[in-house]
Amino acid sequence: MSKKPFLWVAACCIGISLLGGGRAAARNAQWQAQADEQGSLQVVVVAAASSGFKAKLSLWEKQGGRWIRTLGEAPAVIGREGMGKQKEGDGKTPEGLFKLGKAFGSSVKPPGLKMPYAITDSSDYWIDDPESRDYNRWIRTEGDPSRLWNSFERLKQPLYRYAMVIEYNTHPVVAGKGSAIFLHLWRSSSKPTAGCVAISESTMLKLMGRLDSAREPMIFMSNR
């Protein structure tokens, strides 16, 4: 029996692998150049499948003038409609490089985290009502939130036991462009988010154990 078909398939697979590697190299070069421009020394990279909501998350740090991956690829999930957020409620995750803002959660500050951290309670809300002047902002109130806003998220909830703000649509805030984009805990590896990035608690704690606000941490999200 001729082995040519096998050799053709093998060569084809090598070509696909090299093509994928080329895309990854180009993607890495893109965010590394942008991070260098903004003075960041830590970047969380979220690489999503071309379709669906499955992704991989890793942490890269600038050491000795080179970008080194210090946390290996871990499973993550993104918005139910994939990447490319355009507006409020579209179920998509933003693409691009963004600053990681304040860390927060309903639990005590994780060990090793060198970033501002706030413990949430029942008075903490994130406003996703595009008609409100508080849109895409963290607001505290002890009153009835439904009397103040048409839509809001309670920040004291299980998925936000540990979480970090992704600075999307924050400076300036554009009404209706999208709000409440966080890196938070997932429901499971088989359930998407409404637009955030979600990971397991074990991965979150490993990540938080390395992040340092002095290193200007950022997050880069794109398709693989």
Side-chain angles (χ1 to χ4, degrees):
M1 179 182 295
S2 171
K3 294 186 178 180
K4 287 184 179 179
F6 172 79
L7 293 174
W8 181 86
V9 171
C12 188
C13 290
I14 291 172
I16 292 171
S17 177
L18 291 173
L19 180 61
R23 283 197 296 266
R27 183 183 67 243
N28 288 346
Q30 175 189 358
W31 68 253
Q32 288 170 8
Q34 293 174 351
D36 288 341
E37 287 179 2
Q38 298 192 48
S40 175
L41 300 175
Q42 289 182 319
V43 177
V44 177
V45 175
V46 179
S50 57
S51 62
F53 60 87
K54 298 294 183 71
K56 295 290 186 181
L57 178 144
S58 56
L59 174 65
W60 293 68
E61 301 185 71
K62 195 76 174 285
Q63 299 178 358
R66 298 175 58 229
W67 284 98
I68 306 294
R69 191 172 71 186
T70 56
L71 184 63
E73 290 189 321
V77 295
I78 62 168
R80 61 183 180 273
E81 300 297 330
M83 287 282 183
K85 188 164 197 65
Q86 298 293 322
K87 60 183 180 179
E88 185 72 36
D90 62 9
K92 295 183 178 182
T93 296
E95 279 189 286
L97 184 69
F98 303 92
K99 289 184 179 181
L100 277 175
K102 180 182 290 187
F104 66 93
S106 58
S107 187
V108 297
K109 184 175 182 177
L113 177 65
K114 297 177 182 177
M115 293 178 67
Y117 184 84
I119 297 177
T120 55
D121 61 30
S122 57
S123 297
D124 290 298
Y125 301 88
W126 198 282
I127 313 309
D128 52 17
D129 174 5
E131 302 301 318
S132 171
R133 64 181 180 179
D134 298 324
Y135 179 67
N136 202 26
R137 291 185 172 91
W138 181 334
I139 303 292
R140 282 182 56 82
T141 181
E142 295 181 2
D144 180 0
S146 62
R147 299 186 65 178
L148 300 173
W149 309 292
N150 293 320
S151 182
F152 54 86
E153 282 198 43
R154 299 179 187 275
L155 294 185
K156 186 179 181 181
Q157 58 148 296
L159 296 183
Y160 301 159
R161 175 177 164 83
Y162 300 111
M164 283 180 280
V165 176
I166 296 174
E167 298 282 359
Y168 168 78
N169 191 29
T170 55
H171 305 288
V173 175
V174 177
K177 189 177 178 181
S179 63
I181 303 298
F182 308 135
L183 175 61
H184 64 72
L185 304 184
W186 64 19
R187 291 182 176 86
S188 77
S189 61
S190 61
K191 292 184 178 180
T193 71
C196 297
V197 177
I199 54 179
S200 69
E201 184 168 328
S202 62
T203 298
M204 179 69 83
L205 291 174
K206 288 177 184 177
L207 180 63
M208 285 184 154
R210 296 198 65 92
L211 292 177
D212 183 348
S213 58
R215 297 178 66 80
E216 300 290 341
M218 304 187 79
I219 184 168
F220 177 74
M221 300 168 288
S222 75
N223 287 320
R224 286 203 281 269

